[in-house]
Amino acid sequence: LALSGAAFGRTWYIKPDGTGDAPTIQAGIDVASPGDIILVAAGIYTTTSIVNINGSPTPVCAFIDKNVKLTSESGSSTTTIGSGSAKIAVYFKDVDASAELSGFRLQTSFSGYYCVDLRSQRFLQDPPLPAFFPRGIRCDNSSPLINDNDVQLNDVGIELIASPATVSNNTVSSCLMGIAAYNSNAEIVDNVVHNAGELIVCEGA
């Protein structure tokens, strides 16, 4: 009975007008405990907070550093996380396979191209990618389940760094890089990746 109780946590309901169990998605994540579900109503969620990533203050819409499930109530066609001012829509740090992200459109901004000095020909391959590249999803040392999302109009769709994540049934489009995996024993299966300068990049992965 104790194990059964631990497996099912509380559900936090988030609404775009701020009248849910917490006023924002990030506030819901902050008050949630491992095993909880953050259930997000249909709407557009653009609020950002500043997260220190490798010494760089970075605007992020949702920062997940605990094993919770972030899911939408109505699916990616009606539920968007992202902002033109955000560098990352959803950022995972140090979570395991019990964490999950499902059912969202994730959109930051898409530059279309960058001009790069030819001496930096491996600019797009060597991690970490430039901080000014907006990402739909970034995982650091994390293994969440990322499924049933529509990741579009980001310079990098999904970036995995030392992250054996499971990436399944997502659509990734209109990105300079669709999915980038570095030193990550990830499972990437049943996704649609199109309209990208580089579709899937794996190094040490």
Side-chain angles (χ1 to χ4, degrees), residues 48 57-61 83-89 108-109 131-136:
T48 61
T58 304
V60 174
C61 289
S83 166
S85 63
K87 290 300 182 184
I88 304 173
T108 51
S109 63
F132 56 80
F133 274 18
R135 285 114 160 124

Side-chain angles (χ1 to χ4, degrees), residues 39-119:
L39 179 63
V40 180
I44 299 174
Y45 297 82
T46 61
T47 302
T48 61
S49 57
I50 299 299
V51 179
N52 191 308
I53 302 177
N54 299 326
S56 176
T58 304
V60 174
C61 289
F63 173 41
I64 302 175
D65 61 348
K66 60 184 74 170
N67 296 317
V68 296
K69 178 179 179 179
L70 177 61
T71 186
S72 72
E73 183 176 42
S74 303
S76 62
S77 63
T78 59
T79 317
T80 299
I81 299 175
S83 166
S85 63
K87 290 300 182 184
I88 304 173
V90 177
Y91 175 44
F92 287 98
K93 175 72 172 174
D94 299 329
V95 302
D96 65 26
S98 61
E100 182 176 337
L101 174 71
S102 62
F104 293 95
R105 177 181 292 122
L106 301 160
Q107 182 175 326
T108 51
S109 63
F110 174 51
S111 300
Y113 67 91
Y114 283 102
C115 295
V116 182
D117 191 304
L118 289 177
R119 292 170 296 180

